[in-house]
Structures are given as structure tokens and as C-alpha cells.
Amino acid sequence: MVSTEQLINDCVLFQSVTPEEMDELLDQAETEDFPEGVRILDEGNSTRYLWIIQRGTCEVRKQLSNGDEQTLTELGPLSIFGEMSFFKPAPHSASVVATSDVSIVRIPWNNFDQLLKAGVSGAQKVVYNTVRIMSDRLRTMDKWSAEMVESCGTKTKNAEWHEFRSKLYSDWQF
């Protein structure tokens, strides 16, 4: 099991959180164990938790149009997931499946929102760190998507990709 000190020192989500702030956050958290093979999150469902893996591994899987699932990544200890639905209610964009026995800590949105409204600095640091994590993920996905289009696309496909990307970053209202 990951210690509070390890969460603070090694989990990007808790970067710059003090031990006292961490205790305040963990007071609002829940813990749960999942056996290997269990679907922790199902694509299309919606829950508002921020999940942190303490022990074990999970796969993030995306459903394909033919019904198969594609593994997007493997997550290990100190990885987080569920952040998109946590901060903006929406169906999960992928499933998370335990690939070993897993212990997690999860923070429910209602508890976290109370901390934010109270001005708790640890909660504010978590929001800031989540934005950094999501920015890194978006940057990686943008690079990967552009490389995919460039490597297997025609000029028309490349033009469509660049138009989509332009709209994504400038025209769309969220």
C-alpha cells in the first residue's frame, strides 16, 4: 500500500500538497479494493470520483465501433483516472479494468467541492495539478493524432485534420 508520504512525494496529483493538506483531503476520501478482472469504470456510465491507484495495475480501454475494446494505456500505482467526469459531469470516455488486484483511493466530487468552496488550499492544488496532468495528456494525444493522420492520410485527410484541430482550439464552446 502507498503511504501518505509517497502520495505527496511521488503522485503528480498531490505535488506541493503539505502533509496537513493531504490529511484534510484523505479525510474526504474513500478506499476500495478490486480483484483482477473487475471493471472499475464503464465507458458511457458516469460517476464523479477522482481515482488514485495505491496498489496494482489497470488498463484503460476504449470501445471500438465493431464492439471490440482497444487498450489505450496501462496504469500503475500513483496513477489517476476519472478526472474528466470528476470535474465536468459526463459519461466516461473509456473503461478502466483491473489487470491485477487493485487498491484505490477515490475522492467523491461532493466532498471535494465542499473543500473547494471552503477555500482549502490542498483542494486548490489538486485542481491545478489536474489541469497540468490533463494538459500533458492532451499534448500527447494531439501529437499522436497528428502523426497518425500525417502517416496514413491523404492531402484531403490532412486538411480535414488541421481544420478539426483548429476548430477544437478556437471555435468550439464548451
Side-chain angles (χ1 to χ4, degrees):
M1 205 66 93
V2 175
S3 69
T4 300
E5 184 178 333
Q6 281 181 289
L7 283 172
I8 293 170
N9 292 334
D10 300 330
C11 183
V12 176
L13 183 65
F14 300 114
Q15 190 172 30
S16 77
V17 172
T18 67
E20 295 78 21
E21 293 167 338
M22 191 67 188
D23 288 341
E24 201 166 13
L25 290 166
L26 291 176
D27 284 345
Q28 301 301 316
E30 304 167 352
T31 59
E32 190 168 354
D33 294 331
F34 296 91
E36 180 178 352
V38 166
R39 297 176 78 81
I40 299 170
L41 293 182
D42 275 315
E43 182 176 347
N45 289 345
S46 184
T47 59
R48 295 204 62 197
Y49 290 99
L50 186 58
W51 305 75
I52 305 101
I53 300 173
Q54 286 194 293
R55 178 182 51 82
T57 58
C58 296
E59 286 182 350
V60 178
R61 299 178 183 170
K62 180 76 178 157
Q63 180 122 21
L64 302 174
S65 60
N66 67 4
D68 292 341
E69 285 186 322
Q70 173 70 48
T71 298
L72 301 178
T73 193
E74 186 171 300
L75 303 174
L78 303 176
S79 296
I80 70 162
F81 60 91
E83 69 280 357
M84 292 191 318
S85 297
F86 183 71
F87 286 103
K88 184 175 182 179
H92 298 300
S93 61
S95 296
V96 177
V97 179
T99 54
S100 71
D101 291 345
V102 175
S103 294
I104 59 93
V105 172
R106 66 178 177 221
I107 303 171
W109 170 253
N110 291 338
N111 297 6
F112 189 79
D113 190 43
Q114 290 174 3
L115 294 175
L116 284 175
K117 287 177 180 172
V120 172
S121 60
Q124 294 167 349
K125 290 174 184 178
V126 166
V127 171
Y128 175 79
N129 291 332
T130 303
V131 169
R132 291 177 56 217
I133 291 165
M134 292 176 75
S135 294
D136 287 343
R137 290 179 180 174
L138 180 59
R139 184 175 292 110
T140 300
M141 183 59 69
D142 188 40
K143 180 179 182 240
W144 178 83
S145 298
E147 288 171 356
M148 285 291 291
V149 170
E150 296 292 333
S151 70
C152 63
T154 63
K155 283 189 176 190
T156 303
K157 291 279 186 206
N158 290 345
E160 288 173 5
W161 162 250
H162 290 292
E163 182 180 342
F164 167 79
R165 192 168 151 217
S166 176
K167 285 181 181 179
L168 178 64
Y169 291 113
S170 61
D171 295 344
W172 290 358
Q173 300 296 314
F174 294 98

